[in-house]
Amino acid sequence: METQVPNQPISEETSRRITSLRFLLAVLVVFIHNNFTAESIAKTFEETGRTIPFCQNAFGQWVQLFISGGIARCAVPLFFLFAAFLQGVKNDPYPVLLKKKAKSLALPYALWMAVYVLYFGVLKLVVAKIAPQVLAHPDKTMLTMTMRDWAESLIGFYSGTGDGNPRFAMQFWFVRDLMIFTAVSPVLIKLIRKFPVGVFFCASVFYLSASISFDAHANYSVFFYIVGLYWGIFNFALFEKIDTIGWAETLCLFAATFVLSAVVPSRLSGCCATLSACLLLLKFSALISNSQKTFFVADYFSGFSFFLYAIHMPVLNELLKKLWLRFFPMTNTFFSLFEYFGVSVLTVAIGTGIGIALKKICPPLFSLLNGGRK
């Protein structure tokens, strides 16, 4: 470990491979969040007494599970991995790092939460008066929220029965946790340099341990962030090492771990499935990077990955679901899968389209909402 050389430039290959995956990972997150199951429907509508048809057969269930519970489970872990790698390899002084993260994480977090406060506050009050039937909980408005409700809605962490996500925009738990990790990163980096084996061992044990009630994502977010710091600090050739693994071995490993996690769900099988999915996507990035036309498209849309991540939930996707199901109720397997792919594609198209239009119409506002990312 004495060979670590901090502050090294990022190789062009590594930069291209990371860029190749950014937008794809955001798309996979959309598929994760638009994943109707019998259990999710029952949980969503248990308080209202409403029901919606969901007639899915085993084939449809496996299709959704393969995407949302298989390939897509690597999306957020890889976001943590890339963010930590870039931080570790750049090795910015702590004040500079905090200034950068204030612009790229804290400011867009505050702005997007303000947007969703307006939606859940002012707009929901209006809709609750005019058309309460379109709302899942028309009686729960900004006027009935307690201080704890506000804390759970804006920050998360406080829910004893939930997963610790901010209720106003559940996907922003990633930004929240990344800000916390950034704040304590100097300590983590010192520990990694002094006790490289010990820190990795502790992170691995934590990754395999039971979920923490106030933040159900803490196990893998901590693990992949720390692994990303290792990658950045010691700047080893991760993609080159992954490329030495054959496609046959990669696909067989993913298939085996995916089936195991689906048939025998456990913490261990789930962790193995996530790791193999990460390996599959990291290897797949070579196919995108090596094709000039494909990479050109991926490079362009990579600038909208954070924007899509921020805008897709909860308003856009939920509204599209409601509108879609009015015309195409999930009365059989075809319509169940039609909703799964149709709403997901529409969410990606509309969310990205809004970002493209906003960037052209008002670049400063787009930059603020996108964390300064171009």
Side-chain angles (χ1 to χ4, degrees):
M1 288 300 185
E2 287 77 10
T3 58
Q4 84 99 137
V5 183
N7 223 2
Q8 290 295 297
I10 302 172
S11 70
E12 182 181 356
E13 173 67 11
T14 297
S15 179
R16 285 174 66 93
R17 298 283 285 268
I18 292 175
T19 300
S20 297
L21 290 178
R22 278 184 173 140
F23 188 73
L24 175 58
L25 295 178
V27 171
L28 290 176
V29 171
V30 173
F31 274 90
I32 291 175
H33 292 153
N34 181 47
N35 183 30
F36 272 126
T37 63
E39 293 77 16
S40 68
I41 291 173
K43 182 178 180 181
T44 301
F45 295 100
E46 63 183 352
E47 295 181 13
T48 64
R50 296 167 55 204
T51 58
I52 62 173
F54 182 70
C55 301
Q56 183 71 281
N57 64 10
F59 171 76
Q61 291 171 357
W62 275 98
V63 169
Q64 293 185 205
L65 182 62
F66 179 76
I67 298 174
S68 294
I71 296 174
R73 68 191 305 154
C74 73
V76 180
L78 287 182
F79 275 137
F80 275 112
L81 184 78
F82 294 157
F85 163 72
L86 294 172
Q87 178 189 336
V89 77
K90 291 177 181 178
N91 196 30
D92 290 320
Y94 193 55
V96 175
L97 174 66
L98 292 182
K99 184 177 180 179
K100 285 184 177 181
K101 296 304 180 182
K103 180 181 180 181
S104 64
L105 297 176
L107 181 58
Y109 187 99
L111 291 175
W112 281 105
M113 284 299 169
V115 170
Y116 291 124
V117 165
L118 289 176
Y119 170 77
F120 285 105
V122 179
L123 182 60
K124 189 173 182 180
L125 282 171
V126 174
V127 175
K129 292 290 185 182
I130 300 175
Q133 68 275 8
V134 304
L135 299 175
H137 305 287
D139 56 322
K140 294 183 179 180
T141 66
M142 182 175 61
L143 302 179
T144 63
M145 291 176 63
T146 65
M147 290 297 294
R148 176 167 176 157
D149 290 332
W150 279 104
E152 291 181 350
S153 298
L154 294 172
I155 303 172
F157 280 137
Y158 290 92
S159 179
T161 56
D163 47 18
N165 298 333
R167 290 182 180 176
F168 280 162
M170 57 178 291
Q171 72 275 23
F172 272 83
W173 72 265
F174 162 74
V175 181
R176 176 202 65 200
D177 283 12
L178 192 53
M179 288 191 290
I180 295 172
F181 296 159
T182 300
V184 301
S185 61
V187 176
L188 294 175
I189 291 171
K190 286 183 179 179
L191 289 172
I192 289 172
R193 287 176 174 163
K194 191 169 184 178
F195 309 106
V197 177
V199 172
F200 182 78
F201 175 78
C202 291
S204 300
V205 171
F206 184 62
Y207 180 45
L208 295 171
S209 63
S211 297
I212 298 175
S213 60
F214 64 83
D215 184 1
H217 317 283
N219 303 71
Y220 71 78
S221 61
V222 170
F223 176 79
F224 282 94
Y225 182 80
I226 287 179
V227 171
L229 286 181
Y230 273 92
W231 181 19
I233 292 170
F234 302 109
N235 203 13
F236 50 85
L238 177 64
F239 286 107
E240 287 81 351
K241 295 181 183 298
I242 287 175
D243 289 344
T244 62
I245 304 173
W247 272 107
E249 294 89 337
T250 303
L251 291 171
C252 287
L253 178 63
F254 172 74
T257 55
F258 164 69
V259 172
L260 181 64
S261 66
V263 177
V264 189
S266 68
R267 185 72 196 175
L268 178 60
S269 63
C271 290
C272 291
T274 300
L275 289 170
S276 67
C278 289
L279 175 62
L280 179 64
L281 263 290
L282 290 172
K283 188 169 179 62
F284 180 74
S285 66
L287 301 182
I288 301 175
S289 178
N290 293 338
S291 170
Q292 286 300 112
K293 291 183 179 180
T294 307
F295 178 75
F296 177 80
V297 174
D299 185 31
Y300 174 76
F301 283 107
S302 69
F304 299 95
S305 57
F306 181 87
F307 190 88
L308 175 61
Y309 186 88
I311 200 174
H312 83 281
M313 286 284 287
V315 180
L316 178 59
N317 187 254
E318 291 302 318
L319 286 177
L320 287 174
K321 283 180 181 178
K322 289 182 173 66
L323 289 173
W324 185 279
L325 293 178
R326 284 181 178 272
F327 298 98
F328 307 109
M330 298 181 293
T331 53
N332 56 45
T333 295
F334 172 80
F335 282 109
S336 295
L337 289 177
F338 192 36
E339 187 282 333
Y340 178 66
F341 288 102
V343 172
S344 298
V345 171
L346 271 179
T347 301
V348 172
I350 294 174
T352 307
I354 293 172
I356 293 172
L358 185 60
K359 186 176 182 179
K360 291 183 177 179
I361 297 169
C362 188
L365 179 58
F366 172 79
S367 180
L368 288 174
L369 291 171
N370 206 38
R373 299 166 183 85
K374 298 181 180 180

